[in-house]
């Protein structure tokens, strides 16, 4: 991730120099975009490091949700630095359009930036597709349901970066062909709106995970199957499966035993319940599990 941060810093500097040379609002918007991406990757790195802290008395389920908090801050950074400022610059450019200087410099920088962003986008996409296949999901489904915001944030940022570069390139080319400077301001506004949309998607997902969203059904279903597998379990009265971190689950189950299981000595039933709990905890994704028994209705 630190390598990606370094690459983003270089891209931001290159775009900034090109923006100064050309006076392009779209290039300024792309410079702000790269600055926001750099800050966001630093925030995600902080979240990644802090989420690895071991559980303690104050945080019995660990610090996995640190990633959600820092990913939420990253979404705010995209909104404020990338989105709002790009729109402001675009409006200013439309109100006071100015001819561009040396647009070919900007085109060359944007093409080079597209190569860097395209490589990063491809890496992020491959990682997401591998994880999606493991969970038997499509890529789109995984983007919506993923419990780890890091890879999703990088992928959406890179996708927005490629679209933003395409908009800025189109503005420069159209300016060369038509001579109208307004294309530049329009592209900057479109880039800002794009970044606000991406920020809204990321913030919404981080918010859902921060307020203990239930795991999706493709995660809950195999856990339910494992609970009802023992012959002494008649039914699952209630099952709560909550993300307490990326790929870290808290499972709370209330089960109804078969009549024969209720008639055995209490210590035998306790052993069965504890055996079921230990079986659940063998799953790598389950951090903690609680199983309680409800008596068979009389």
């Amino acid at each position: 991730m630190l390598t990606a941060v370094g690459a983003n810093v270089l891209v931001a500097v290159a775009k900034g120099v090109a923006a100064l040379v050309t006076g392009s609002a779209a290039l300024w918007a792309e410079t702000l975009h790269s600055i926001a991406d750099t800050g966001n990757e630093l925030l995600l790195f902080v979240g990644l490091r802090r989420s690895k802290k071991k559980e303690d008395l104050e945080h019995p389920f660990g610090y996995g949700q640190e990633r959600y908090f820092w990913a939420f801050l990253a979404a705010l950074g995209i909104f404020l630095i990338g989105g709002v400022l790009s729109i402001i610059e675009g409006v200013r450019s439309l109100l006071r359009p100015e001819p561009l200087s040396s647009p070919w410099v900007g085109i060359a920088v944007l093409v080079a930036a597209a190569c860097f962003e395209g490589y990063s986008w491809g890496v992020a996409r491959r990682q997401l597709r591998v994880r999606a296949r493991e969970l038997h999901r499509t890529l789109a489904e995984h983007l919506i349901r993923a419990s780890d915001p890091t890879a999703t944030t990088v992928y959406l940022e890179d996708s927005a970066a490629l679209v933003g570069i395409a908009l800025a390139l189109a503005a420069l080319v159209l300016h060369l062909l038509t001579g109208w400077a307004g294309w530049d301001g329009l592209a900057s506004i479109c880039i800002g709106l794009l970044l606000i949309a991406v920020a809204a998607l990321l913030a919404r997902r981080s918010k859902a995970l921060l307020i203990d969203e239930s795991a999706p059904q493709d995660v809950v279903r195999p856990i339910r199957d494992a609970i009802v597998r023992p012959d002494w379990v008649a039914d699952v009265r209630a099952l709560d499966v909550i993300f307490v971190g990326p790929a870290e689950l808290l499972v709370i189950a209330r089960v109804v035993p078969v009549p024969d299981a209720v008639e055995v000595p209490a210590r035998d039933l306790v052993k069965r319940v504890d055996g079921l709990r230990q079986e659940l905890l063998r799953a790598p994704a389950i951090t903690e599990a609680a199983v309680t028994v409800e008596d068979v209705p009389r």
Side-chain angles (χ1 to χ4, degrees), residues 6-85:
N8 264 334
V9 169
L10 294 176
V11 170
V13 170
K15 288 179 180 177
V17 171
L20 283 172
V21 171
T22 62
S24 167
L27 271 168
W28 277 120
E30 275 302 297
T31 302
L32 292 170
H33 186 177
S34 292
I35 291 172
D37 282 355
T38 302
N40 294 340
E41 287 180 358
L42 286 172
L43 290 173
L44 292 174
F45 179 74
V46 171
L48 184 64
R49 291 289 300 271
R50 292 180 65 88
S51 69
K52 292 181 179 179
K53 293 170 62 177
K54 297 294 184 182
E55 63 273 8
D56 52 36
L57 291 177
E58 293 184 350
H59 300 85
F61 302 125
Y63 289 78
Q65 290 188 333
E66 285 271 5
R67 290 203 207 180
Y68 305 151
F69 171 73
W70 293 97
F72 187 79
L73 291 185
L76 292 179
I78 295 173
F79 177 84
L80 294 173
I81 299 175
V84 174
L85 293 183

Side-chain angles (χ1 to χ4, degrees), residues 5-282:
V5 170
N8 264 334
V9 169
L10 294 176
V11 170
V13 170
K15 288 179 180 177
V17 171
L20 283 172
V21 171
T22 62
S24 167
L27 271 168
W28 277 120
E30 275 302 297
T31 302
L32 292 170
H33 186 177
S34 292
I35 291 172
D37 282 355
T38 302
N40 294 340
E41 287 180 358
L42 286 172
L43 290 173
L44 292 174
F45 179 74
V46 171
L48 184 64
R49 291 289 300 271
R50 292 180 65 88
S51 69
K52 292 181 179 179
K53 293 170 62 177
K54 297 294 184 182
E55 63 273 8
D56 52 36
L57 291 177
E58 293 184 350
H59 300 85
F61 302 125
Y63 289 78
Q65 290 188 333
E66 285 271 5
R67 290 203 207 180
Y68 305 151
F69 171 73
W70 293 97
F72 187 79
L73 291 185
L76 292 179
I78 295 173
F79 177 84
L80 294 173
I81 299 175
V84 174
L85 293 183
S86 294
I87 291 175
I88 292 173
E89 179 63 22
V91 171
R92 185 203 63 77
S93 179
L94 279 177
L95 293 175
R96 295 182 179 179
E98 298 176 1
L100 301 183
S101 303
S102 306
W104 289 107
V105 173
I107 291 173
V109 168
L110 288 172
V111 170
C115 294
F116 283 109
E117 297 288 0
Y119 175 78
S120 177
W121 179 85
V123 171
R125 185 173 185 272
R126 283 194 296 272
Q127 291 176 343
L128 285 172
R129 284 182 66 86
V130 168
R131 184 58 179 158
R133 280 197 296 268
E134 291 174 353
L135 297 172
H136 307 290
R137 298 171 179 169
T138 65
L139 180 59
E141 289 173 339
H142 187 60
L143 286 172
I144 295 171
R145 301 176 184 176
S147 64
D148 185 353
T150 305
T152 302
T153 300
V154 172
Y155 175 75
L156 290 178
E157 282 182 348
D158 289 342
S159 299
L162 289 173
V163 175
I165 289 171
L167 289 170
L169 273 172
L172 292 178
V173 171
L174 287 171
H175 180 80
L176 283 173
L177 294 176
T178 66
W180 185 54
W183 294 113
D184 201 49
L186 288 175
S188 182
I189 292 172
C190 289
I191 291 169
L193 292 173
L194 171 68
L195 294 177
I196 287 175
V198 170
L201 288 173
L202 294 174
R204 181 180 178 182
R205 184 61 184 148
S206 295
K207 174 197 167 188
L209 292 167
L210 274 171
I211 58 176
D212 295 331
E213 180 185 62
S214 177
Q217 285 304 306
D218 60 352
V219 174
V220 174
R221 195 176 301 112
I223 295 175
R224 181 181 293 274
D225 292 342
I227 293 173
V228 299
R229 191 174 299 130
D231 57 9
W232 63 270
V233 177
D235 190 21
V236 180
R237 181 63 53 82
L239 176 60
D240 296 317
V241 182
I242 301 168
F243 284 116
V244 292
E248 297 177 2
L249 297 169
L250 168 64
V251 177
I252 303 173
R254 289 159 51 200
V255 302
V256 177
V258 298
D260 291 345
V262 178
E263 295 172 0
V264 301
R267 63 176 179 274
D268 292 338
L269 182 57
V270 169
K271 287 181 180 179
R272 289 177 174 179
V273 171
D274 185 62
L276 175 56
R277 177 177 176 274
Q278 295 303 322
E279 181 66 27
L280 292 173
L281 289 174
R282 290 191 185 97

